[in-house]
Amino acid sequence: MNIDFSNIQEEVKNNLVNIHEVMFENSKKFREENTVHAESKSELIDKLNSQSGFVTVYWDENSKDEEDIKVQTKATLRCYVLDHEELKDSVNNPGTLGKLAIFSKAY
């Protein structure tokens, strides 16, 4: 790659923006390709123990249940999906509505 040094500030800025965009798109693609959904607590545990990546579930906030998942899988609740407003039956407390949550192991 040739860079015009008379315009180095703009060249560097454009390259950094490009690098950021490529890294961001690669990260989103990786997340999408490595995320699965579980419909039950047992399925959540099975998926966390049998594959890498992320598992989404509807979860009723409960630190005792989170600790139980951590003990059984070494995975933790990473976050709740903020732009997802829909509530559904939670896997850890059937009959209670839960938010969409993401579980994963640290590597």
Side-chain angles (χ1 to χ4, degrees):
M1 171 196 290
N2 294 326
I3 296 177
D4 178 9
F5 281 98
S6 66
N7 194 21
I8 190 72
Q9 287 181 324
E10 191 63 30
E11 293 279 347
V12 168
K13 178 183 173 190
N14 290 339
N15 280 322
L16 289 174
V17 167
N18 185 306
I19 290 168
H20 176 271
E21 289 173 357
V22 168
M23 289 177 70
F24 181 68
E25 289 304 316
N26 287 343
S27 178
K28 283 191 341 186
K29 182 180 176 189
F30 177 85
R31 184 194 67 208
E32 290 167 5
E33 291 174 352
N34 291 281
T35 300
V36 295
H37 185 75
E39 295 290 338
S40 68
K41 188 175 178 182
S42 61
E43 185 181 5
L44 169 65
I45 292 166
D46 180 57
K47 288 181 181 214
L48 288 168
N49 283 328
S50 64
Q51 60 195 54
S52 61
F54 308 98
V55 182
T56 61
V57 292
Y58 284 91
W59 189 260
D60 176 35
E61 288 184 69
N62 179 315
S63 57
K64 180 184 172 293
D65 289 342
E66 286 179 39
E67 183 62 28
D68 183 45
I69 295 297
K70 184 177 181 180
V71 167
Q72 292 188 55
T73 67
K74 296 187 173 97
T76 58
L77 192 152
R78 297 300 174 171
C79 66
Y80 289 96
V81 182
L82 295 177
D83 61 352
H84 189 91
E85 306 267 335
E86 182 179 22
L87 302 175
K88 289 190 177 181
D89 196 36
S90 65
V91 299
N92 62 315
N93 193 1
T96 301
L97 294 178
K99 300 178 207 171
L100 187 63
I102 301 172
F103 279 82
S104 183
K105 293 180 182 178
Y107 296 96

